[in-house]
Amino acid sequence: MIWVELLVVLAAIFLGARLGGIAIGFTGGLGVLVLALLGVEPGDMPLDVISIIAAVIAAIAAMQVAGGMDYLVSVAEKVLRRNPRHLIFLAPVITYLMTFMAGTGHTAFSTMPVITEVAKESNIKPARPLSIAVVASQIAITASPISAAVVFFSSVLEKQGVDYLQLLAVVIPSTFIGSMLAALCIYLWDRMSKHSALTDDPEFQRRLAAGTVDMRGHTEIVLKPRAKLSVAIFLTGLVAVMAYATAISDKVGLISDPPMTRDAAIIAFMLTIATTIVAFCAVDTSQILSASTFKSGMSACICVLGVAWLGATFVGAHEAEIKSAAGDLLRDHPWTLAVVLFFAACLLYSQAATTKALMPTALALGVSPVAAIASFAAVSALFVLPTYPTLLAAVEMDDTGTTRIGKAVFNHPFLLPGVLAIAFSVALGFVFGGVLL
């Protein structure tokens, strides 16, 4: 029956990918229903992960309505326009930092138009900076102090004697340097290419002749009066979250009897940040529900609910068989965990869902905490199938046609930088983990 049930899981995920967007969450629930009818007991629903995502998104959406996202984009645009020659490096730095701060990769949506315009003005194919920027925005989820994937993973690692700060000390430098090394490879590849300039691209020339390429240039953003204040409030809250998580950790132990767990604290802090922004930045709360970050975040909640529940149901039902088949391999060759997570993330469509479904089982199989943390970046392999929202947005926003998905589906510009970034991050994770843990 394990093969029949695995087929049900794969069919549900495939159907969700074909329907697109939030539908993968719907079909995850369908898969759980079919498995239940086949006699499989449903696994635990990922309500803890969903609660964290919802609370973080609420704070981000409040900041967006207050004008905070516009302010951050205006800062990013100034940085990019002052240094157009370094666009391939600066674009992923900006998307990485925004995701790191916000705990969601959907913040990349706001910077993509700027990256595209600066690339066109600098005669750079937008596909180069856009591809690595999208990848950096995804991989930064595994380094963000408030992302659901990191918070859940840290709670699992605490049982292995590794605390929140130790996790961040490894994943932050490894994923950031890994993303930059991938950007360097793309830059060198671009320099060695005989037709690297945008004007050398035949599709761009065709669209330029047809008048379908828009060269808008610099767009002045009118900031709301309290846009900067909303960003300051959010950043203050982010620091408070990290300070509390540090204070209650076993290694620091500043608070011996914490009033809240880390998960509860993050949710409470994020909702408090949202309250403060609404109160002090004159935010119309009705606009929060229609904010783009709120919509994409709530979509992510449904996606995680469906696919993580489906994954937990299947893995929980066959944990003994999985241990028997993969336990020795993972213990003897710990790097193979990264490969497993990579392909699982392609299907589960979410860093949090992949972490929730597989990381506890991997540690139970005897994988060392160092290997698990080093492999953590592989849960960001959401770029393999060209169906993820930020990836599709990059394709749509590049009116030059250089960021395109080939007929073979997998021949798209995000695959190479994504594989490189994860490979570098995993390798560096083993290095930093071996030194720091």
Side-chain angles (χ1 to χ4, degrees):
M1 286 299 293
I2 188 173
W3 295 109
V4 175
E5 291 160 11
L6 178 60
L7 182 62
V8 170
V9 172
L10 295 176
I13 293 171
F14 177 76
L15 176 61
R18 287 292 303 271
L19 295 175
I22 196 173
I24 196 166
F26 300 160
T27 57
L30 171 63
V32 172
L33 176 60
V34 175
L35 290 178
L37 293 176
L38 292 174
V40 178
E41 183 179 353
D44 294 332
M45 288 185 287
L47 299 180
D48 50 352
V49 172
I50 293 171
S51 299
I52 293 170
I53 294 175
V56 171
I57 289 299
I60 290 290
M63 184 179 70
Q64 180 183 10
V65 174
M69 291 299 295
D70 288 339
Y71 171 69
L72 292 174
V73 171
S74 68
V75 172
E77 182 169 9
K78 290 177 182 177
V79 172
L80 293 177
R81 290 192 179 280
R82 288 174 182 172
N83 305 274
R85 293 183 180 180
H86 306 300
L87 181 63
I88 291 179
F89 297 101
L90 290 175
V93 168
I94 288 172
T95 55
Y96 183 99
L97 291 177
M98 291 186 71
T99 297
F100 176 85
M101 181 185 77
T104 171
H106 292 114
T107 53
F109 286 120
S110 58
T111 59
M112 287 180 192
V114 177
I115 295 171
T116 303
E117 290 306 312
V118 174
K120 288 191 291 188
E121 294 167 13
S122 306
N123 198 25
I124 298 172
K125 291 181 181 180
R128 301 286 193 264
L130 280 175
S131 60
I132 188 62
V134 168
V135 167
S137 73
Q138 293 178 353
I139 205 167
I141 287 290
T142 58
S144 172
I146 58 173
S147 75
V150 168
V151 173
F152 174 77
F153 190 32
S154 68
S155 67
V156 175
L157 285 172
E158 282 182 342
K159 301 172 185 176
Q160 305 288 325
V162 178
D163 69 13
Y164 178 74
L165 284 182
Q166 289 177 302
L167 171 61
L168 293 179
V170 174
V171 295
I172 291 175
S174 61
T175 56
F176 181 77
I177 297 173
S179 299
M180 291 302 100
L181 289 175
L184 176 61
C185 292
I186 299 302
Y187 173 78
L188 294 175
W189 175 268
D190 194 49
R191 289 293 298 270
M192 291 187 293
S193 176
K194 294 181 180 179
H195 305 289
S196 61
L198 176 60
T199 51
D200 295 331
D201 189 82
E203 178 63 18
F204 168 70
Q205 293 292 352
R206 186 189 69 79
R207 295 191 180 195
L208 188 64
T212 58
V213 178
D214 184 12
M215 305 292 286
R216 293 191 298 269
H218 174 67
T219 303
E220 190 67 34
I221 299 176
V222 180
L223 297 177
K224 293 183 178 180
R226 299 176 184 176
K228 294 181 181 180
L229 177 60
S230 68
V231 174
I233 293 172
F234 187 88
L235 290 177
T236 301
L238 178 61
V239 172
V241 167
M242 296 184 66
Y244 182 83
T246 302
I248 67 172
S249 67
D250 293 335
K251 299 293 173 64
V252 177
L254 292 178
I255 302 177
S256 57
D257 186 19
M260 291 186 292
T261 64
R262 183 182 298 110
D263 292 11
I266 288 177
I267 294 170
F269 273 114
M270 288 296 112
L271 295 178
T272 301
I273 290 169
T275 302
T276 307
I277 291 174
V278 169
F280 290 95
C281 299
V283 171
D284 181 355
T285 53
S286 64
Q287 295 181 15
I288 293 177
L289 300 178
S290 59
S292 59
T293 50
F294 187 85
K295 291 179 179 179
S296 60
M298 293 306 106
S299 174
C301 284
I302 298 299
C303 290
V304 170
L305 172 61
V307 295
W309 192 17
L310 177 62
T313 298
F314 177 79
V315 171
H318 300 287
E319 190 168 351
E321 293 94 326
I322 294 172
K323 286 182 178 180
S324 175
D328 292 339
L329 176 65
L330 289 174
R331 282 191 298 270
D332 296 340
H333 305 282
W335 59 269
T336 55
L337 176 60
V339 178
V340 172
L341 294 174
F342 183 95
F343 287 105
C346 298
L347 300 175
L348 296 181
Y349 213 57
S350 162
Q351 294 96 331
T354 306
T355 304
K356 177 80 173 180
L358 297 180
M359 276 303 193
T361 301
L363 290 168
L365 289 174
V367 175
S368 69
V370 172
I373 294 171
S375 303
F376 186 37
V379 303
S380 295
L382 312 181
F383 50 79
V384 177
L385 296 174
T387 55
Y388 198 73
T390 50
L391 189 152
L392 293 175
V395 174
E396 292 296 323
M397 291 180 186
D398 180 11
D399 57 1
T400 68
T402 64
T403 310
R404 52 182 177 266
I405 300 170
K407 293 182 179 179
V409 180
F410 293 102
N411 56 332
H412 55 76
F414 305 91
L415 187 60
L416 179 60
V419 171
L420 288 173
I422 286 181
F424 285 133
S425 298
V426 171
L428 290 168
F430 276 102
V431 173
F432 287 119
V435 173
L436 298 174
L437 299 181

